[in-house]
Structures are given as C-alpha cells and as structure tokens.
Amino acid sequence: MIRALTFDTYGTVVDWRTSVLRELEALGGRKALAVDWVRFLDDWKAAYRPGMDKVNRGESPWTTVDAIYRMRLGELLVAYGISLLATEEVEALARVWWRLHPWPDAVPGLRRLKRKCIISPLSNASFIGMVELGRSAGLPWDCVITAENAPRSSGRRCCVRARLPGQIGMVTAVYATAPAPERPGK
C-alpha cells in the first residue's frame, strides 16, 4: 500500500516557465530593457542539467539547483548586457524560483491526495527554496525533502530511511526526473 507520495515539483506541480517568464517580462518593462526574455529564460534553465550532472559525477562540490541558477543568472546578466539592476534586485530575481505559480489543478489535487498519503516534494532545490515555494504557491506539503536533507537520494531511499520501504511513490510529469528502478540494498 502506498503511504507517501513524493513530487517532482518544477513542471509537475508548478508552472515554472510561465511564472519566471512573467517576472522577467515585468522586470524588463520596469527597467525598459529590450531583451529576448524567452531566450534568456531558456539560457537560464539550461544550466540545470549540466550543473547537476557535474555535481553527481563529483566534478563540482555538492550544491543545490538554487545555487546553480544563481551563478548562471550572474553570467547571463553580463552576457545580455543587463547592468542596471541593484544587488537587491538581482537577489530577488534569483529567488523567482521560490515564487512559481501552481498549475490550476495542483493544489486541489494535492489536498485530495493528502487525505490518504503523506505528500512531499523531492527536489534538488534548497530546503528554504522549497519551503518558500510551498508557502507562496499554497502547496499543502506534509514535509519537505530536498537535496539538502537527503543528498543524492531517490524517493525509495528516503522511504527506507523513514521505515516505509515499498510504500512510497514518485509523481512526475517530467520523464527525465523519474528515478530508475532500484534493486533492494542499493
């Protein structure tokens, strides 16, 4: 019997693309910046997989996706010639990933699932990032599992640690984030 469900969050529970793009476009409007924000966002998001792959191969020290996105944002601001932003504005923009909007059916669906299961994100984002995203988007998590409190883990490994072997599921709408089947003891 499934007792807990962990969720890939970006894309499955929240609409990261529309949320971030709206904030970038609003910033561009306030600062009169003529930037191809779709391209900027694509360049920003593209840092995720190579950054996490380097961490997973041991080529880079352990870090969260928040740190990868923050570093890439700094590079992109220079590459796109955006120099009008105060430090506070850059930091607020870096935290846009904490203010994403849920898909219209996400919160009601999570509330229904929560009646029968423990629900939690399982994310490479920072712990504070997932907590703030949960608050901002109204996500009714029972707990928050991130790479900071369960480094290099899958839902199954977290479940074994929580004494729920075979009783946890991973929910994802993104094929690349689905964990490969694991053998017992791995």
Side-chain angles (χ1 to χ4, degrees), residues 58-135:
E59 296 169 12
S60 293
W62 181 89
T63 191
T64 65
V65 72
D66 295 22
I68 292 169
Y69 284 151
R70 175 59 185 91
M71 184 178 357
R72 183 64 177 149
L73 175 60
E75 295 167 355
L76 289 173
L77 292 174
V78 171
Y80 280 77
I82 301 170
S83 58
L84 304 171
L85 303 181
T87 301
E88 304 82 43
E89 291 172 306
V90 173
E91 294 308 317
L93 182 56
R95 289 188 304 273
V96 67
W97 303 97
W98 299 8
R99 299 184 300 274
L100 306 175
H101 300 282
W103 292 109
D105 59 350
V107 173
L110 289 171
R111 285 194 180 118
R112 282 194 304 276
L113 289 168
K114 184 179 171 109
R115 287 187 227 142
K116 295 186 179 194
C117 295
I118 298 164
I119 61 171
S120 173
L122 179 63
S123 176
N124 289 324
S126 68
F127 180 78
I128 188 63
M130 278 289 105
V131 169
E132 293 296 340
L133 176 58
R135 287 178 172 177

Side-chain angles (χ1 to χ4, degrees), residues 103-179:
W103 292 109
D105 59 350
V107 173
L110 289 171
R111 285 194 180 118
R112 282 194 304 276
L113 289 168
K114 184 179 171 109
R115 287 187 227 142
K116 295 186 179 194
C117 295
I118 298 164
I119 61 171
S120 173
L122 179 63
S123 176
N124 289 324
S126 68
F127 180 78
I128 188 63
M130 278 289 105
V131 169
E132 293 296 340
L133 176 58
R135 287 178 172 177
S136 173
L139 306 175
W141 303 128
D142 289 308
C143 60
V144 172
I145 303 170
T146 70
E148 286 181 319
N149 56 13
R152 298 182 195 257
S153 67
S154 71
R156 288 185 180 95
R157 287 190 192 122
C158 290
C159 205
V160 168
R161 289 183 189 131
R163 307 278 190 241
L164 295 173
Q167 298 175 50
I168 190 165
M170 173 82 185
V171 180
T172 181
V174 184
Y175 177 76
T177 62

Side-chain angles (χ1 to χ4, degrees), residues 8-30:
D8 167 68
T9 307
Y10 300 138
T12 301
V13 178
V14 296
D15 178 2
W16 65 266
R17 186 167 187 80
T18 303
S19 301
V20 176
L21 190 55
R22 282 185 184 154
E23 287 215 26
L24 289 170
E25 290 170 342
L27 173 70
R30 286 192 310 276

